[in-house]
């Protein structure tokens, strides 16, 4: 019976298809959560006044939670009710989102740093004195330990621990979804449909980050204390590095979506009939011939009965270590894990800090950077995943051909990434940091360079960041450091006048005024940014094409009985070594390029306000290039190993159908037999055949 006839006989709403639909929704929901978390990194960093290295640690708490239970869930869960375990995981993920949003309701109103001083005049009106002569705002002394402790406690600055805990719970809840869900689908679907189903799930899943980033962009434009403060009194806007959006709002929404996603799994059965398979066909497998050739012999045999009965937890635990031993003896599986670990390091670093890179390099606001990633890069990733699954389905690629396809797609993506290095804008022109007060390029990490002859009479604070854009095109760290004497207007419309430092700039300016906020970048930077986005989209598409094929290589290289465990251990190691460290060390490297740190309410160092964009680029892209280059070396080793196993498969085929000489005696049989016997006795000798 043809495949088309078998598919025609299947009901349109079979339980397998219901499971497929539920998996698509839960992949969307968890990716929706994850995408929103990534898009809110900058807002959380600013709200809790923490450095990039710490926000990287918080972002890595998802993988830490996953790490705690992934191996046991993957192994024991495969023997239990997999759909219900996935449903329980969805409930835990929803709780994690709600806990992440909880600090907002415990904190007071957000108070951003500012240097302007308000005084009441005799007529009852209020005026602002930017340039002070009494030194009331120039107190940069470090407070005592007791005062610091009390202030930190009052400011509830340690509430970021709730974000850490909530994100870790999300990681714990996500644990059953991938290993149990994909193995369940692969167990009960046709082998030729597995790649297409996985591509469909991942395609729907990639829509989650797109909506997550769009929601993050929307929330980033809403003030964090929306509804609780008069927005007309706020002197910053969403383009300011001190602005904090309503980061907490999105976590409430994503938690609700996750609750809905988990409902269908409570009503699905523990097992299903194989898709389109009759009783007489259960003993055969479409890909068994090829898969057996890529599974080491000591991984193939199992003492498990054909119809296993109820198994006790003690028996499962006893078989756990032998199963791990079989898994780790598979050389292809181990090379795949090492390669993926290196690639994920680069990918996590790239994605986590891409919005910050776009802000600092091209002068984009956080909300716009997040939005553009959501509407351009992520759809390109979705299209790439669909393309990869379609090519696997259309051309029925074998494992060796699949590995060639993965390497080619990754190389094309890496080439696009290399082009990004040359699409660079100059540093934002900030007096005393990236240029001198006379306008000459001069990067400085020292506070004293903020003092010049033009502002020495204004007892200015050097710690605070309250930027203004002057009529000469330069940005000054504060109105005081610009030497401004008077101001008019209120809130965001405030204008500072009679600024002495503007008059000392290279060109004379009759109107020595300035407005709130940093000056925009030069027009050629916007032109460069458009090229960057085009290259970034291309660089997102090609690596995504290799996503589904790489999973097929993994699934076809392991014993079917170890499938869930293999996926679980794969996720465990990838997230332990590939997803947790990069956010931390990328953040630490980026912190080293900070030119101006913000100041907490208690006087301590807060979040970074402006970076040296050239040093940022070198650190950020340089590490990514090194990681991806190393992964290509490992891909070459993997291909070499697979090609040797392909040769072994060909030798086995010759053994089954030996050629005969004129006398009817088979020739070449003995040499082939002896070679295969050596491989069977020692799998490591496969590389010598």
């Amino acid at each position: 019976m043809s495949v088309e006839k078998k598919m025609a006989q299947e009901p349109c709403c079979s339980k397998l298809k219901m499971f497929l639909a539920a998996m698509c929704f839960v992949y969307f929901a968890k990716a929706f959560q994850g995408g929103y978390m990534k898009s809110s990194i900058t807002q959380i960093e600013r709200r809790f006044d923490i450095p990039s290295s710490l926000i990287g640690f918080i972002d890595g708490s998802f993988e830490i939670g996953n790490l705690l239970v992934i191996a046991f869930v993957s192994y024991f869960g495969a023997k239990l009710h997999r759909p219900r375990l996935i449903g329980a995981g969805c409930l835990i993920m929803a709780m994690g989102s709600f806990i992440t949003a909880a600090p907002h309701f415990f904190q007071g109103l957000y108070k951003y740093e500012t240097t302007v001083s308000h005084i009441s005049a005799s007529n009852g009106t209020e005026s602002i004195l930017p340039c002070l002569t009494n030194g009331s705002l120039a107190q940069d002394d470090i407070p005592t330990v007791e005062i610091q402790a009390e202030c930190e406690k009052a400011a509830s600055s340690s509430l970021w621990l709730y974000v850490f805990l909530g994100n870790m719970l999300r990681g714990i809840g996500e644990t059953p979804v991938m290993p149990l869900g994909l193995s369940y689908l692969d167990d009960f679907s046709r082998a030729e449909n597995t790649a297409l189903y996985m591509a469909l799930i991942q395609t729907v899943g990639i829509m989650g980050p797109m909506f997550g980033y769009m929601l993050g962009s929307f929330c980033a434009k809403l003030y964090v204390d929306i509804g609780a403060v008069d927005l007309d009194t706020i002197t910053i806007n969403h383009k300011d590095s001190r602005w904090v959006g309503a980061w907490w709002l999105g976590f409430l929404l994503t938690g609700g979506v996750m609750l809905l996603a988990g409902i269908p799994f409570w009503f699905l059965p523990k097992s299903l009939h194989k898709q389109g398979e009759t009783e007489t066909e259960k003993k055969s497998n479409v890909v068994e011939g090829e898969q057996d050739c890529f599974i080491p012999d000591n991984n193939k045999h199992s003492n498990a009965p054909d119809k296993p009965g109820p198994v006790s937890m003690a028996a499962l635990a006893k078989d756990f270590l032998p199963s791990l031993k079989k898994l780790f003896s598979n050389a292809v599986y181990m090379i795949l894990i090492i390669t993926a670990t290196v690639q994920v390091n680069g990918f996590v670093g790239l994605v986590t800090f891409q919005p910050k890179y776009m802000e600092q390099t091209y002068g984009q606001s956080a909300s716009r950077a997040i939005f553009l990633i959501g509407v351009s890069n992520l759809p390109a990733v979705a299209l790439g995943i669909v393309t990869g699954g379609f090519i696997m389905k259309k051309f029925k690629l074998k494992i060796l051909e699949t590995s060639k396809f993965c390497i080619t797609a990754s190389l094309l993506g890496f080439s696009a990434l290399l082009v990004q290095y040359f699409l660079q804008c100059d540093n934002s022109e900030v007096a005393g940091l990236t240029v001198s007060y006379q306008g000459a390029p001069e990067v400085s990490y020292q506070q004293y360079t903020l003092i010049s002859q033009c502002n020495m009479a204004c007892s200015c604070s050097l710690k605070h960041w309250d930027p203004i854009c002057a009529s000469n095109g330069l940005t000054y760290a504060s109105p005081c450091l610009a030497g401004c004497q008077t101001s008019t207007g209120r809130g965001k419309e405030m204008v500072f006048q009679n600024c002495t430092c503007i008059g000392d700039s290279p060109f004379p300016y009759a109107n020595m005024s300035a407005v709130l906020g940093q000056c925009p970048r030069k027009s050629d930077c916007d032109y460069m940014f458009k090229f960057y986005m085009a290259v970034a989209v291309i660089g997102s598409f090609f690596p995504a094409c290799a996503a589904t094929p790489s999973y097929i290589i993994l699934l076809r290289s392991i014993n079917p009985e170890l499938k869930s465990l293999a996926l679980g251990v794969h996720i465990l190691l990838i997230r332990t070594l590939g997803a947790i460290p990069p956010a931390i060390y990328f953040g630490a490297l980026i912190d080293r390029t900070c030119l101006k740190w913000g100041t907490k309410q208690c006087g301590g160092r807060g979040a970074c306000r402006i970076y040296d964009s050239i040093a940022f680029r070198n650190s950020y892209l340089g590490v990514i290039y090194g990681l991806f280059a190393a992964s290509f070396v490992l891909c070459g080793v993997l291909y070499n190993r697979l090609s040797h196993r392909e040769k072994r498969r060909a030798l086995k085929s010759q053994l089954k159908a030996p050629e005969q000489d004129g006398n009817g005696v088979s020739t070449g049989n003995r040499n082939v037999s002896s070679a295969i016997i050596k491989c069977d006795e020692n799998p490591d000798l496969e590389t010598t055949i």
Side-chain angles (χ1 to χ4, degrees):
M1 183 180 292
S2 65
V3 173
E4 290 77 7
K5 290 182 179 179
K6 288 181 180 179
M7 294 182 67
Q9 292 175 357
E10 295 173 7
C12 62
C13 296
S14 65
K15 290 182 179 179
L16 180 65
K17 292 181 179 178
M18 291 175 61
F19 181 83
L20 177 62
M23 280 294 292
C24 288
F25 188 23
V26 77
Y27 256 66
F28 169 84
K30 76 182 185 70
F32 186 37
Q33 279 187 330
Y36 183 76
M37 179 66 192
K38 290 290 185 185
S39 71
S40 301
I41 288 295
T42 302
Q43 309 302 319
I44 295 173
E45 178 182 349
R46 294 173 181 174
R47 182 63 181 97
F48 296 98
D49 265 329
I50 53 181
S52 296
S53 55
L54 181 54
I55 198 64
F57 179 64
I58 294 173
D59 185 53
S61 63
F62 178 89
E63 281 72 29
I64 294 175
N66 210 279
L67 165 66
L68 295 175
V69 295
I70 183 66
F72 297 100
V73 168
S74 301
Y75 181 71
F76 295 113
K79 319 293 182 181
L80 303 175
H81 200 301
R82 286 178 282 185
R84 289 183 184 174
L85 285 176
I86 296 174
C90 293
L91 181 61
I92 295 174
M93 280 191 282
M95 291 174 56
S97 279
F98 297 143
I99 291 175
T100 301
H104 171 75
F105 302 99
F106 301 141
Q107 288 177 303
L109 297 179
Y110 173 57
K111 295 180 181 179
Y112 53 88
E113 58 178 311
T114 183
T115 59
V116 293
S117 176
H118 299 256
I119 64 169
S120 297
S122 58
N123 58 2
T125 61
E126 192 175 55
S127 62
I128 298 174
L129 300 180
C131 178
L132 304 175
T133 57
N134 58 6
S136 61
L137 277 182
Q139 303 300 323
D140 288 342
D141 297 332
I142 300 175
T144 64
V145 176
E146 293 78 10
I147 296 176
Q148 181 80 15
E150 284 295 323
C151 182
E152 293 285 352
K153 184 177 180 180
S156 301
S157 59
S158 62
L159 286 176
W160 60 264
L161 289 170
Y162 282 88
V163 181
F164 180 90
L165 176 61
N167 203 35
M168 184 163 57
L169 278 178
R170 284 184 49 245
I172 293 174
E174 195 263 355
T175 304
V177 175
M178 182 179 173
L180 301 187
L182 295 185
S183 63
Y184 187 94
L185 193 66
D186 192 47
D187 285 345
F188 304 116
S189 64
R190 286 195 186 91
E192 65 268 24
N193 288 339
T194 301
L196 184 62
Y197 288 164
M198 287 185 180
L200 178 62
I201 290 173
Q202 291 180 347
T203 302
V204 175
I206 202 62
M207 301 298 289
M210 184 176 70
F211 282 90
Y213 272 79
M214 292 176 68
L215 177 62
S217 175
F218 173 75
C219 291
K221 289 184 178 180
L222 302 176
Y223 190 64
V224 60
D225 295 317
I226 185 171
V229 297
D230 182 6
L231 297 181
D232 292 334
T233 62
I234 304 299
T235 59
I236 57 176
N237 58 27
H238 68 278
K239 297 180 180 180
D240 196 288
S241 61
R242 295 165 294 169
W243 175 273
V244 176
W247 61 274
W248 53 274
L249 187 60
F251 286 108
L252 298 179
L253 180 59
T254 57
V257 172
M258 183 54 70
L259 276 178
L260 294 176
I263 294 176
F265 292 99
W266 296 99
F267 303 98
L268 288 165
K270 182 178 180 180
S271 62
L272 298 170
H273 291 295
K274 183 77 172 178
Q275 187 183 43
E277 187 178 57
T278 63
E279 291 296 327
T280 58
E281 292 174 327
K282 289 184 179 179
K283 296 181 181 180
S284 62
N285 191 304
V286 176
V287 296
E288 182 179 1
E290 183 188 10
Q291 184 169 358
D292 282 349
C293 297
F294 288 89
I295 301 174
D297 294 332
N298 60 349
N299 273 243
K300 293 178 183 178
H301 306 293
S302 174
N303 296 326
D306 294 336
K307 293 182 179 180
V311 182
S312 64
M313 295 297 290
L316 291 176
K318 184 179 180 181
D319 192 47
F320 180 67
L321 290 179
S323 297
L324 279 180
K325 184 178 179 181
K326 291 180 181 179
L327 201 58
F328 290 144
S329 66
N330 189 330
V332 169
Y333 177 75
M334 294 305 299
I335 297 172
L336 280 168
I337 285 182
I338 297 172
T339 305
T341 299
V342 176
Q343 289 177 334
V344 169
N345 266 266
F347 177 76
V348 169
L350 175 68
V351 172
T352 302
F353 296 103
Q354 187 178 16
K356 185 187 289 287
Y357 178 76
M358 293 166 66
E359 285 182 68
Q360 297 298 324
T361 304
Y362 301 103
Q364 303 298 312
S365 66
S367 58
R368 187 164 190 259
I370 294 167
F371 177 79
L372 289 174
I373 292 173
V375 300
S376 59
N377 289 34
L378 295 179
V381 172
L383 180 61
I385 292 174
V386 173
T387 303
F390 174 77
I391 291 175
M392 288 289 295
K393 175 78 173 177
K394 177 72 174 178
F395 298 101
K396 296 181 173 60
L397 300 181
K398 296 181 180 179
I399 292 183
L400 202 58
E401 296 168 337
T402 302
S403 65
K404 291 180 181 178
F405 174 75
C406 290
I407 294 172
T408 302
S410 299
L411 281 171
L412 291 173
F414 183 65
S415 300
L417 191 62
L418 286 173
V419 176
Q420 295 182 18
Y421 185 83
F422 304 98
L423 303 176
Q424 174 72 14
C425 295
D426 294 331
N427 272 314
S428 177
E429 295 183 335
V430 182
L433 293 178
T434 60
V435 295
S436 67
Y437 276 81
Q438 289 71 41
E442 183 182 272
V443 176
S444 174
Y445 293 85
Q446 305 298 325
Q447 283 191 354
Y448 67 84
T449 57
L450 292 171
I451 298 296
S452 180
Q453 193 69 31
C454 61
N455 58 27
M456 290 186 66
C458 307
S459 303
C460 301
S461 170
L462 302 182
K463 281 190 172 183
H464 293 82
W465 175 255
D466 197 10
I468 59 171
C469 179
S471 54
N472 61 1
L474 294 182
T475 297
Y476 294 86
S478 70
C480 181
L481 289 170
C484 300
Q485 305 295 321
T486 61
S487 66
T488 58
R490 181 172 178 265
K492 300 182 184 66
E493 306 302 323
M494 194 180 301
V495 177
F496 300 93
Q497 299 167 334
N498 300 322
C499 304
T500 57
C501 290
I502 299 177
D504 285 352
S505 57
F507 304 100
Y509 286 86
N511 180 20
M512 296 187 296
S513 62
V515 296
L516 288 170
Q518 287 183 246
C519 293
R521 296 295 183 94
K522 297 177 181 178
S523 58
D524 61 341
C525 191
D526 289 335
Y527 187 70
M528 193 70 71
F529 178 67
K530 293 177 181 178
F531 276 104
Y532 166 79
M533 287 305 303
V535 172
V537 169
I538 297 172
S540 299
F541 171 78
F542 285 111
C545 291
T548 300
S550 63
Y551 272 114
I552 297 301
I553 295 175
L554 177 66
L555 291 173
R556 297 295 176 255
S557 301
I558 55 178
N559 189 333
E561 294 180 359
L562 301 176
K563 195 179 302 177
S564 293
L565 179 62
L567 287 172
V569 172
H570 180 266
I571 298 172
L572 169 67
L573 295 177
I574 293 301
R575 287 183 171 166
T576 303
L577 304 175
I580 297 176
I584 299 173
Y585 66 74
F586 266 85
L589 287 172
I590 290 172
D591 282 340
R592 293 170 62 90
T593 67
C594 182
L595 290 174
K596 185 71 179 71
W597 290 96
T599 304
K600 293 184 179 180
Q601 299 178 34
C602 305
R605 193 176 79 172
C608 185
R609 302 306 185 191
I610 184 172
Y611 295 84
D612 177 358
S613 63
I614 297 175
F616 190 123
R617 176 195 61 175
N618 293 337
S619 298
Y620 174 70
L621 292 180
V623 177
I624 293 173
Y625 292 157
L627 290 169
F628 282 129
S631 73
F632 290 126
V633 175
L634 292 169
C635 284
V637 175
L638 174 64
Y639 180 79
N640 179 267
R641 188 73 178 183
L642 290 174
S643 63
H644 280 298
R645 291 195 176 184
E646 178 67 21
K647 291 178 182 177
R648 183 188 179 195
R649 178 189 177 191
L651 290 174
K652 284 189 174 181
S653 299
Q654 292 178 22
L655 179 62
K656 291 180 180 179
E659 296 181 1
Q660 294 182 342
D661 58 14
N663 299 322
V665 179
S666 62
T667 60
N669 198 26
R670 294 179 180 177
N671 293 335
V672 175
S673 299
S674 61
I676 295 176
I677 289 173
K678 290 180 180 179
C679 290
D680 292 340
E681 292 175 350
N682 186 359
D684 292 335
L685 293 178
E686 289 170 13
T687 57
T688 64
I689 299 178

